[in-house]
Amino acid sequence: MNIGYISIGSNIEDRLYHLTEAVRALHLHDSVTVAAASSIYETVPVGYTEQADFLNMVVCVKTKLDAQELLEICQEIERGLGRIRDVRWGPRTADLDILLYNDDNIESETLTVPHPRMQERAFVLVPLLEMDSSIIHPVSKNLLSDEAAAKDKGVKLWKKINEVAYFVDNR
Ligand SMILES: Nc1ncnc2c1ncn2[C@@H]1O[C@H](COP(=O)(O)OP(=O)(O)OP(=O)(O)O)[C@@H](O)[C@H]1O
Ligand SMILES: Nc1nc2c(c(=O)[nH]1)N=C(CO)CN2
């Protein structure tokens, strides 16, 4: 079984609905189990800043899929939630990025893992470290908790829910 960490973000209302549906859709997939979830954080936009605040979280999945297949599932879920790609780093109903996949280092045309921008993104590091503060970056071999962005401001706890059941059994 493979272990992946996926970052989920939304800054188009209903943000909580979009996160919840994304987690549910991952878990309902025959070949994916959501094993753990972080709390939900409200975060100021990074990159393209003229947009609404995001809700962000991270989930840990167990899957027999390879990383490319997992990416395709993530993209299918984004499409199902009505994501339209226009502005780079712009508003989105749901964005699912693969942060880590086992300790693999993958560089293909469609997929780079570990996610190349994860260490500079507090909106990724804060929820990821809530789940496991001992994660080591598979390439740099540094403890992620030592990364400066993990201490960044602009990320505040929004809902302290970190039980998978909340996301998958709530209707
Ligand atoms: N680890 C990864 N997770 C998700 N997509 C990835 C990853 N590595 C490469 N990609 C590629 O990135 C492409 C663009 O993704 P997307 O539009 O979600 O970028 P973004 O969310 O706007 O920006 P960012 O990549 O900085 O988060 C996808 O089509 C996908 O093929
Ligand atoms: N706060 C925040 N900023 C972002 C986010 C995000 O999920 N949260 N996603 C981006 C593109 O992946 C660009 N900027």
Side-chain angles (χ1 to χ4, degrees):
M1 203 51 101
N2 303 291
I3 296 190
Y5 284 89
I6 297 174
S7 153
I8 308 175
S10 170
N11 75 337
I12 293 176
E13 295 295 348
D14 183 336
R15 299 176 301 171
L16 177 59
Y17 171 81
H18 293 134
L19 293 190
T20 306
E21 286 303 303
V23 178
R24 273 167 56 80
L26 278 170
H27 191 69
L28 288 175
H29 193 281
D30 285 348
S31 304
V32 180
T33 302
V34 178
S38 74
S39 298
I40 299 174
Y41 293 82
E42 188 165 54
T43 68
V44 298
V46 171
Y48 174 69
T49 54
E50 296 298 305
Q51 58 177 329
D53 286 353
F54 281 78
L55 292 184
N56 281 103
M57 66 182 294
V58 170
V59 294
C60 174
V61 297
K62 296 199 170 144
T63 183
K64 55 186 184 198
L65 302 177
D66 67 31
Q68 178 63 36
E69 291 169 326
L70 186 60
L71 174 70
E72 284 160 22
I73 303 301
C74 290
Q75 292 178 337
E76 236 173 77
I77 294 171
E78 290 178 347
R79 282 194 295 274
L81 288 168
R83 170 145 179 215
I84 299 158
R85 288 165 197 276
D86 42 16
V87 180
R88 187 174 188 211
W89 296 327
R92 62 266 328 270
T93 47
D95 180 27
L96 285 81
D97 288 337
I98 302 179
L99 304 174
L100 298 168
Y101 182 85
N102 302 320
D103 278 335
D104 295 5
N105 183 14
I106 302 165
E107 282 186 47
S108 76
E109 234 168 72
T110 48
L111 186 60
T112 307
V113 176
H115 191 284
R117 285 166 288 286
M118 66 181 283
Q119 289 131 293
E120 59 204 50
R121 292 179 163 178
F123 68 79
V124 165
L125 292 179
V126 172
L128 184 60
L129 290 168
E130 176 200 331
M131 299 176 74
D132 183 349
S133 59
S134 68
I135 296 179
I136 290 176
H137 190 281
V139 178
S140 74
K141 310 286 183 206
N142 291 329
L143 258 176
L144 282 177
S145 58
D146 289 341
E147 298 293 338
K151 292 146 194 129
D152 200 294
K153 300 284 181 288
V155 172
K156 63 173 196 250
L157 186 61
W158 186 79
K159 232 181 215 306
K160 195 168 169 29
I161 308 166
N162 48 18
E163 281 155 33
V164 176
Y166 170 85
F167 296 96
V168 300
D169 302 335
N170 73 339
R171 63 180 63 82

